[in-house]
Amino acid sequence: MGFDRGGIRVERLAEAVTISRACSKGEQVTFAGRHYRVTGHTIAPLPVQRPHPPILIGGNGPRLLALAAREADIVGFSGITFRQGGTIPPDLSGWSASSVDERVRLVREAAGAERYARIEFERAGAAGWS
């Protein structure tokens, strides 16, 4: 199984979030993107959470965290950077305090003040994030 580069995986996730959110609101979804095509799709039964179930997006890269800042209800930080398409061991240095601070700053800027105040962070054992 291939391991697409990060940009492709983020594009695909962005499309999936758009489709999933619309479906869970009860909308009939027609969508044509680079990765997914859906025509007249609906789901039943609808989720009980309104307007949709909480969306959690977690990761470490700037593009993924910017997507999370714009779309997710919950943002998680993995601290892991995959290198060379996952063919060599990952870089785990993202768990340093300065790296976490930088990723929180990135999410804050991408989300904007009003949206940032509503985002929940999946803390994965870390305390004191704001």
Side-chain angles (χ1 to χ4, degrees):
M1 173 180 272
F3 189 65
D4 290 329
R5 61 182 182 77
I8 298 294
R9 295 191 317 269
V10 173
E11 287 175 4
R12 198 169 42 237
L13 178 60
E15 289 184 13
V17 167
T18 298
I19 294 164
S20 296
R21 180 177 281 138
C23 284
S24 67
K25 289 180 181 178
E27 298 173 9
Q28 183 177 41
V29 178
T30 296
F31 179 90
R34 181 175 174 195
H35 305 282
Y36 298 106
R37 281 158 194 67
V38 176
T39 303
H41 187 71
T42 59
I43 63 169
L46 293 176
V48 296
Q49 299 97 332
R50 292 288 170 224
H52 55 77
I55 296 171
L56 182 150
I57 298 176
N60 192 54
R63 283 180 286 197
L64 183 61
L65 291 175
L67 172 65
R70 291 188 310 271
E71 301 292 338
D73 303 294
I74 307 162
V75 175
F77 297 127
S78 73
I80 300 170
T81 300
F82 292 100
R83 301 178 297 175
Q84 295 184 11
T87 60
I88 63 173
D91 173 6
L92 304 178
S93 65
W95 285 118
S96 71
S98 63
S99 292
V100 172
D101 288 346
E102 175 60 22
R103 291 194 319 276
V104 170
R105 183 197 60 76
L106 187 153
V107 170
R108 184 181 293 122
E109 288 179 4
E114 184 179 320
R115 178 159 166 64
Y116 180 78
R118 295 189 318 265
I119 293 174
E120 178 181 332
F121 286 91
E122 196 280 322
R123 297 175 186 233
W129 297 356
S130 58

mmCIF file of all heavy atoms in Angstrom, residues 93-130:
data_model
loop_
_atom_site.group_PDB
_atom_site.id
_atom_site.type_symbol
_atom_site.label_atom_id
_atom_site.label_comp_id
_atom_site.label_asym_id
_atom_site.label_seq_id
_atom_site.Cartn_x
_atom_site.Cartn_y
_atom_site.Cartn_z
ATOM 1 N N SER A 93 10.893 14.785 17.728
ATOM 2 C CA SER A 93 11.301 15.997 18.441
ATOM 3 C C SER A 93 10.161 16.993 18.633
ATOM 4 O O SER A 93 10.312 17.973 19.358
ATOM 5 C CB SER A 93 12.465 16.678 17.709
ATOM 6 O OG SER A 93 12.046 17.142 16.435
ATOM 7 N N GLY A 94 9.027 16.747 18.012
ATOM 8 C CA GLY A 94 7.885 17.646 18.148
ATOM 9 C C GLY A 94 7.307 17.703 19.545
ATOM 10 O O GLY A 94 6.408 18.492 19.815
ATOM 11 N N TRP A 95 7.793 16.871 20.457
ATOM 12 C CA TRP A 95 7.301 16.903 21.828
ATOM 13 C C TRP A 95 8.084 17.870 22.714
ATOM 14 O O TRP A 95 7.756 18.028 23.885
ATOM 15 C CB TRP A 95 7.302 15.510 22.446
ATOM 16 C CG TRP A 95 6.186 14.680 21.918
ATOM 17 C CD1 TRP A 95 6.288 13.533 21.215
ATOM 18 C CD2 TRP A 95 4.792 14.956 22.018
ATOM 19 N NE1 TRP A 95 5.041 13.067 20.865
ATOM 20 C CE2 TRP A 95 4.096 13.935 21.353
ATOM 21 C CE3 TRP A 95 4.048 15.986 22.588
ATOM 22 C CZ2 TRP A 95 2.715 13.893 21.253
ATOM 23 C CZ3 TRP A 95 2.660 15.950 22.488
ATOM 24 C CH2 TRP A 95 2.019 14.911 21.826
ATOM 25 N N SER A 96 9.097 18.550 22.189
ATOM 26 C CA SER A 96 9.793 19.534 23.014
ATOM 27 C C SER A 96 8.851 20.706 23.297
ATOM 28 O O SER A 96 7.927 20.987 22.523
ATOM 29 C CB SER A 96 11.052 20.042 22.301
ATOM 30 O OG SER A 96 10.698 20.863 21.202
ATOM 31 N N ALA A 97 9.072 21.377 24.407
ATOM 32 C CA ALA A 97 8.192 22.488 24.798
ATOM 33 C C ALA A 97 8.152 23.561 23.720
ATOM 34 O O ALA A 97 7.073 24.083 23.388
ATOM 35 C CB ALA A 97 8.653 23.080 26.130
ATOM 36 N N SER A 98 9.284 23.889 23.138
ATOM 37 C CA SER A 98 9.296 24.937 22.109
ATOM 38 C C SER A 98 8.535 24.508 20.863
ATOM 39 O O SER A 98 7.859 25.324 20.233
ATOM 40 C CB SER A 98 10.732 25.340 21.763
ATOM 41 O OG SER A 98 11.433 24.238 21.213
ATOM 42 N N SER A 99 8.600 23.225 20.510
ATOM 43 C CA SER A 99 7.856 22.728 19.350
ATOM 44 C C SER A 99 6.351 22.756 19.601
ATOM 45 O O SER A 99 5.580 23.139 18.716
ATOM 46 C CB SER A 99 8.290 21.302 19.003
ATOM 47 O OG SER A 99 9.605 21.293 18.536
ATOM 48 N N VAL A 100 5.942 22.363 20.787
ATOM 49 C CA VAL A 100 4.516 22.411 21.127
ATOM 50 C C VAL A 100 4.037 23.857 21.108
ATOM 51 O O VAL A 100 2.985 24.171 20.544
ATOM 52 C CB VAL A 100 4.235 21.743 22.484
ATOM 53 C CG1 VAL A 100 2.790 21.972 22.912
ATOM 54 C CG2 VAL A 100 4.536 20.250 22.416
ATOM 55 N N ASP A 101 4.807 24.763 21.694
ATOM 56 C CA ASP A 101 4.448 26.187 21.681
ATOM 57 C C ASP A 101 4.275 26.698 20.258
ATOM 58 O O ASP A 101 3.336 27.439 19.960
ATOM 59 C CB ASP A 101 5.499 27.025 22.396
ATOM 60 C CG ASP A 101 5.485 26.857 23.902
ATOM 61 O OD1 ASP A 101 4.504 26.297 24.444
ATOM 62 O OD2 ASP A 101 6.467 27.292 24.545
ATOM 63 N N GLU A 102 5.167 26.302 19.367
ATOM 64 C CA GLU A 102 5.097 26.743 17.977
ATOM 65 C C GLU A 102 3.845 26.213 17.294
ATOM 66 O O GLU A 102 3.170 26.924 16.556
ATOM 67 C CB GLU A 102 6.351 26.308 17.218
ATOM 68 C CG GLU A 102 6.321 26.609 15.738
ATOM 69 C CD GLU A 102 6.173 28.088 15.399
ATOM 70 O OE1 GLU A 102 6.484 28.963 16.234
ATOM 71 O OE2 GLU A 102 5.722 28.383 14.279
ATOM 72 N N ARG A 103 3.495 24.969 17.549
ATOM 73 C CA ARG A 103 2.300 24.405 16.930
ATOM 74 C C ARG A 103 1.021 25.034 17.493
ATOM 75 O O ARG A 103 0.064 25.256 16.767
ATOM 76 C CB ARG A 103 2.315 22.885 17.059
ATOM 77 C CG ARG A 103 3.426 22.287 16.185
ATOM 78 C CD ARG A 103 3.335 20.801 15.964
ATOM 79 N NE ARG A 103 2.971 20.000 17.110
ATOM 80 C CZ ARG A 103 3.816 19.560 18.040
ATOM 81 N NH1 ARG A 103 5.084 19.854 17.986
ATOM 82 N NH2 ARG A 103 3.388 18.818 19.028
ATOM 83 N N VAL A 104 1.002 25.343 18.780
ATOM 84 C CA VAL A 104 -0.146 26.046 19.357
ATOM 85 C C VAL A 104 -0.273 27.424 18.711
ATOM 86 O O VAL A 104 -1.374 27.859 18.358
ATOM 87 C CB VAL A 104 -0.025 26.149 20.893
ATOM 88 C CG1 VAL A 104 -1.087 27.085 21.469
ATOM 89 C CG2 VAL A 104 -0.142 24.771 21.534
ATOM 90 N N ARG A 105 0.857 28.118 18.523
ATOM 91 C CA ARG A 105 0.836 29.434 17.865
ATOM 92 C C ARG A 105 0.282 29.315 16.443
ATOM 93 O O ARG A 105 -0.555 30.114 16.022
ATOM 94 C CB ARG A 105 2.245 30.036 17.831
ATOM 95 C CG ARG A 105 2.279 31.450 17.222
ATOM 96 C CD ARG A 105 3.678 31.868 16.813
ATOM 97 N NE ARG A 105 4.277 30.988 15.817
ATOM 98 C CZ ARG A 105 3.954 30.975 14.511
ATOM 99 N NH1 ARG A 105 3.012 31.773 14.046
ATOM 100 N NH2 ARG A 105 4.552 30.147 13.675
ATOM 101 N N LEU A 106 0.718 28.287 15.719
ATOM 102 C CA LEU A 106 0.240 28.084 14.366
ATOM 103 C C LEU A 106 -1.277 27.891 14.348
ATOM 104 O O LEU A 106 -1.982 28.495 13.542
ATOM 105 C CB LEU A 106 0.935 26.860 13.755
ATOM 106 C CG LEU A 106 0.689 26.582 12.288
ATOM 107 C CD1 LEU A 106 1.877 25.842 11.705
ATOM 108 C CD2 LEU A 106 -0.577 25.814 12.040
ATOM 109 N N VAL A 107 -1.791 27.056 15.253
ATOM 110 C CA VAL A 107 -3.240 26.822 15.326
ATOM 111 C C VAL A 107 -3.964 28.114 15.682
ATOM 112 O O VAL A 107 -4.984 28.453 15.079
ATOM 113 C CB VAL A 107 -3.568 25.688 16.323
ATOM 114 C CG1 VAL A 107 -5.072 25.601 16.583
ATOM 115 C CG2 VAL A 107 -3.040 24.361 15.811
ATOM 116 N N ARG A 108 -3.440 28.854 16.636
ATOM 117 C CA ARG A 108 -4.069 30.113 17.050
ATOM 118 C C ARG A 108 -4.172 31.078 15.870
ATOM 119 O O ARG A 108 -5.215 31.693 15.629
ATOM 120 C CB ARG A 108 -3.272 30.749 18.190
ATOM 121 C CG ARG A 108 -3.917 32.014 18.746
ATOM 122 C CD ARG A 108 -3.095 32.652 19.865
ATOM 123 N NE ARG A 108 -3.088 31.796 21.032
ATOM 124 C CZ ARG A 108 -1.992 31.305 21.613
ATOM 125 N NH1 ARG A 108 -0.793 31.587 21.133
ATOM 126 N NH2 ARG A 108 -2.080 30.543 22.668
ATOM 127 N N GLU A 109 -3.090 31.221 15.109
ATOM 128 C CA GLU A 109 -3.095 32.141 13.963
ATOM 129 C C GLU A 109 -4.028 31.663 12.861
ATOM 130 O O GLU A 109 -4.758 32.457 12.276
ATOM 131 C CB GLU A 109 -1.682 32.314 13.420
ATOM 132 C CG GLU A 109 -0.800 33.135 14.335
ATOM 133 C CD GLU A 109 0.616 33.278 13.801
ATOM 134 O OE1 GLU A 109 0.909 32.809 12.670
ATOM 135 O OE2 GLU A 109 1.447 33.853 14.534
ATOM 136 N N ALA A 110 -4.001 30.374 12.561
ATOM 137 C CA ALA A 110 -4.840 29.850 11.481
ATOM 138 C C ALA A 110 -6.321 29.886 11.839
ATOM 139 O O ALA A 110 -7.167 30.068 10.963
ATOM 140 C CB ALA A 110 -4.413 28.424 11.127
ATOM 141 N N ALA A 111 -6.637 29.714 13.116
ATOM 142 C CA ALA A 111 -8.042 29.677 13.545
ATOM 143 C C ALA A 111 -8.638 31.070 13.683
ATOM 144 O O ALA A 111 -9.832 31.261 13.456
ATOM 145 C CB ALA A 111 -8.153 28.941 14.880
ATOM 146 N N GLY A 112 -7.846 32.036 14.085
ATOM 147 C CA GLY A 112 -8.389 33.345 14.437
ATOM 148 C C GLY A 112 -8.875 33.309 15.875
ATOM 149 O O GLY A 112 -9.201 32.237 16.413
ATOM 150 N N ALA A 113 -8.914 34.473 16.508
ATOM 151 C CA ALA A 113 -9.192 34.555 17.950
ATOM 152 C C ALA A 113 -10.539 33.951 18.330
ATOM 153 O O ALA A 113 -10.634 33.189 19.300
ATOM 154 C CB ALA A 113 -9.106 36.000 18.417
ATOM 155 N N GLU A 114 -11.592 34.265 17.590
ATOM 156 C CA GLU A 114 -12.932 33.784 17.959
ATOM 157 C C GLU A 114 -13.031 32.261 17.859
ATOM 158 O O GLU A 114 -13.502 31.597 18.769
ATOM 159 C CB GLU A 114 -13.984 34.442 17.073
ATOM 160 C CG GLU A 114 -15.395 34.073 17.460
ATOM 161 C CD GLU A 114 -16.419 34.767 16.584
ATOM 162 O OE1 GLU A 114 -16.242 35.955 16.260
ATOM 163 O OE2 GLU A 114 -17.412 34.102 16.231
ATOM 164 N N ARG A 115 -12.566 31.722 16.759
ATOM 165 C CA ARG A 115 -12.625 30.260 16.587
ATOM 166 C C ARG A 115 -11.666 29.561 17.548
ATOM 167 O O ARG A 115 -11.997 28.522 18.116
ATOM 168 C CB ARG A 115 -12.300 29.895 15.137
ATOM 169 C CG ARG A 115 -12.296 28.405 14.923
ATOM 170 C CD ARG A 115 -12.492 28.011 13.488
ATOM 171 N NE ARG A 115 -12.162 26.623 13.313
ATOM 172 C CZ ARG A 115 -12.794 25.590 13.872
ATOM 173 N NH1 ARG A 115 -13.840 25.796 14.637
ATOM 174 N NH2 ARG A 115 -12.405 24.349 13.652
ATOM 175 N N TYR A 116 -10.488 30.108 17.740
ATOM 176 C CA TYR A 116 -9.497 29.502 18.631
ATOM 177 C C TYR A 116 -10.068 29.307 20.033
ATOM 178 O O TYR A 116 -9.819 28.288 20.675
ATOM 179 C CB TYR A 116 -8.234 30.364 18.682
ATOM 180 C CG TYR A 116 -7.166 29.809 19.586
ATOM 181 C CD1 TYR A 116 -6.358 28.758 19.172
ATOM 182 C CD2 TYR A 116 -6.984 30.324 20.855
ATOM 183 C CE1 TYR A 116 -5.387 28.228 20.006
ATOM 184 C CE2 TYR A 116 -6.006 29.805 21.697
ATOM 185 C CZ TYR A 116 -5.213 28.763 21.264
ATOM 186 O OH TYR A 116 -4.265 28.245 22.097
ATOM 187 N N ALA A 117 -10.857 30.250 20.489
ATOM 188 C CA ALA A 117 -11.438 30.167 21.837
ATOM 189 C C ALA A 117 -12.384 28.975 21.979
ATOM 190 O O ALA A 117 -12.612 28.503 23.096
ATOM 191 C CB ALA A 117 -12.172 31.465 22.167
ATOM 192 N N ARG A 118 -12.910 28.468 20.873
ATOM 193 C CA ARG A 118 -13.858 27.341 20.922
ATOM 194 C C ARG A 118 -13.197 25.989 20.679
ATOM 195 O O ARG A 118 -13.838 24.951 20.832
ATOM 196 C CB ARG A 118 -14.963 27.560 19.887
ATOM 197 C CG ARG A 118 -15.850 28.759 20.158
ATOM 198 C CD ARG A 118 -17.057 28.809 19.229
ATOM 199 N NE ARG A 118 -16.792 28.480 17.848
ATOM 200 C CZ ARG A 118 -16.532 29.357 16.879
ATOM 201 N NH1 ARG A 118 -16.485 30.637 17.147
ATOM 202 N NH2 ARG A 118 -16.333 28.956 15.632
ATOM 203 N N ILE A 119 -11.931 25.983 20.283
ATOM 204 C CA ILE A 119 -11.256 24.720 19.982
ATOM 205 C C ILE A 119 -10.852 24.024 21.276
ATOM 206 O O ILE A 119 -10.317 24.635 22.190
ATOM 207 C CB ILE A 119 -10.010 24.956 19.101
ATOM 208 C CG1 ILE A 119 -10.426 25.460 17.720
ATOM 209 C CG2 ILE A 119 -9.190 23.672 18.970
ATOM 210 C CD1 ILE A 119 -9.259 25.858 16.835
ATOM 211 N N GLU A 120 -11.114 22.731 21.324
ATOM 212 C CA GLU A 120 -10.648 21.894 22.426
ATOM 213 C C GLU A 120 -9.348 21.240 21.973
ATOM 214 O O GLU A 120 -9.214 20.848 20.814
ATOM 215 C CB GLU A 120 -11.700 20.827 22.717
ATOM 216 C CG GLU A 120 -11.325 19.856 23.796
ATOM 217 C CD GLU A 120 -12.406 18.800 24.011
ATOM 218 O OE1 GLU A 120 -13.595 19.069 23.751
ATOM 219 O OE2 GLU A 120 -12.032 17.688 24.415
ATOM 220 N N PHE A 121 -8.395 21.136 22.871
ATOM 221 C CA PHE A 121 -7.132 20.488 22.539
ATOM 222 C C PHE A 121 -7.075 19.112 23.171
ATOM 223 O O PHE A 121 -7.384 18.953 24.346
ATOM 224 C CB PHE A 121 -5.936 21.325 23.005
ATOM 225 C CG PHE A 121 -5.714 22.530 22.144
ATOM 226 C CD1 PHE A 121 -6.320 23.739 22.457
ATOM 227 C CD2 PHE A 121 -4.936 22.452 21.011
ATOM 228 C CE1 PHE A 121 -6.139 24.838 21.658
ATOM 229 C CE2 PHE A 121 -4.749 23.545 20.196
ATOM 230 C CZ PHE A 121 -5.353 24.750 20.525
ATOM 231 N N GLU A 122 -6.678 18.135 22.375
ATOM 232 C CA GLU A 122 -6.442 16.783 22.856
ATOM 233 C C GLU A 122 -5.017 16.818 23.382
ATOM 234 O O GLU A 122 -4.067 17.000 22.647
ATOM 235 C CB GLU A 122 -6.590 15.796 21.698
ATOM 236 C CG GLU A 122 -6.735 14.364 22.111
ATOM 237 C CD GLU A 122 -5.410 13.720 22.449
ATOM 238 O OE1 GLU A 122 -4.415 13.992 21.782
ATOM 239 O OE2 GLU A 122 -5.392 12.942 23.408
ATOM 240 N N ARG A 123 -4.889 16.694 24.664
ATOM 241 C CA ARG A 123 -3.619 17.010 25.317
ATOM 242 C C ARG A 123 -2.640 15.853 25.388
ATOM 243 O O ARG A 123 -1.482 16.068 25.655
ATOM 244 C CB ARG A 123 -3.874 17.558 26.709
ATOM 245 C CG ARG A 123 -4.636 18.854 26.603
ATOM 246 C CD ARG A 123 -5.017 19.392 27.948
ATOM 247 N NE ARG A 123 -5.865 20.543 27.753
ATOM 248 C CZ ARG A 123 -5.637 21.700 28.291
ATOM 249 N NH1 ARG A 123 -4.621 21.888 29.077
ATOM 250 N NH2 ARG A 123 -6.449 22.690 28.068
ATOM 251 N N ALA A 124 -3.075 14.654 25.186
ATOM 252 C CA ALA A 124 -2.175 13.498 25.165
ATOM 253 C C ALA A 124 -1.155 13.525 26.301
ATOM 254 O O ALA A 124 0.013 13.295 26.109
ATOM 255 C CB ALA A 124 -1.481 13.387 23.817
ATOM 256 N N GLY A 125 -1.612 13.875 27.500
ATOM 257 C CA GLY A 125 -0.732 13.829 28.657
ATOM 258 C C GLY A 125 -0.014 15.119 28.955
ATOM 259 O O GLY A 125 0.614 15.244 30.004
ATOM 260 N N ALA A 126 -0.042 16.092 28.060
ATOM 261 C CA ALA A 126 0.644 17.360 28.325
ATOM 262 C C ALA A 126 -0.289 18.308 29.051
ATOM 263 O O ALA A 126 -1.477 18.349 28.801
ATOM 264 C CB ALA A 126 1.112 17.988 27.021
ATOM 265 N N ALA A 127 0.239 19.051 29.978
ATOM 266 C CA ALA A 127 -0.588 19.985 30.748
ATOM 267 C C ALA A 127 -0.105 21.407 30.505
ATOM 268 O O ALA A 127 1.025 21.648 30.129
ATOM 269 C CB ALA A 127 -0.499 19.653 32.238
ATOM 270 N N GLY A 128 -0.992 22.355 30.725
ATOM 271 C CA GLY A 128 -0.628 23.748 30.701
ATOM 272 C C GLY A 128 -0.713 24.418 29.348
ATOM 273 O O GLY A 128 -0.227 25.513 29.169
ATOM 274 N N TRP A 129 -1.306 23.775 28.336
ATOM 275 C CA TRP A 129 -1.440 24.427 27.052
ATOM 276 C C TRP A 129 -2.552 25.449 27.145
ATOM 277 O O TRP A 129 -3.570 25.247 27.780
ATOM 278 C CB TRP A 129 -1.777 23.442 25.960
ATOM 279 C CG TRP A 129 -0.726 22.418 25.730
ATOM 280 C CD1 TRP A 129 0.504 22.335 26.324
ATOM 281 C CD2 TRP A 129 -0.799 21.307 24.865
ATOM 282 N NE1 TRP A 129 1.186 21.259 25.868
ATOM 283 C CE2 TRP A 129 0.410 20.603 24.970
ATOM 284 C CE3 TRP A 129 -1.771 20.831 24.010
ATOM 285 C CZ2 TRP A 129 0.665 19.457 24.239
ATOM 286 C CZ3 TRP A 129 -1.507 19.687 23.289
ATOM 287 C CH2 TRP A 129 -0.310 19.017 23.396
ATOM 288 N N SER A 130 -2.368 26.562 26.464
ATOM 289 C CA SER A 130 -3.437 27.573 26.454
ATOM 290 C C SER A 130 -3.652 28.116 25.066
ATOM 291 O O SER A 130 -2.870 27.905 24.198
ATOM 292 C CB SER A 130 -3.097 28.698 27.410
ATOM 293 O OG SER A 130 -1.860 29.283 27.054
#
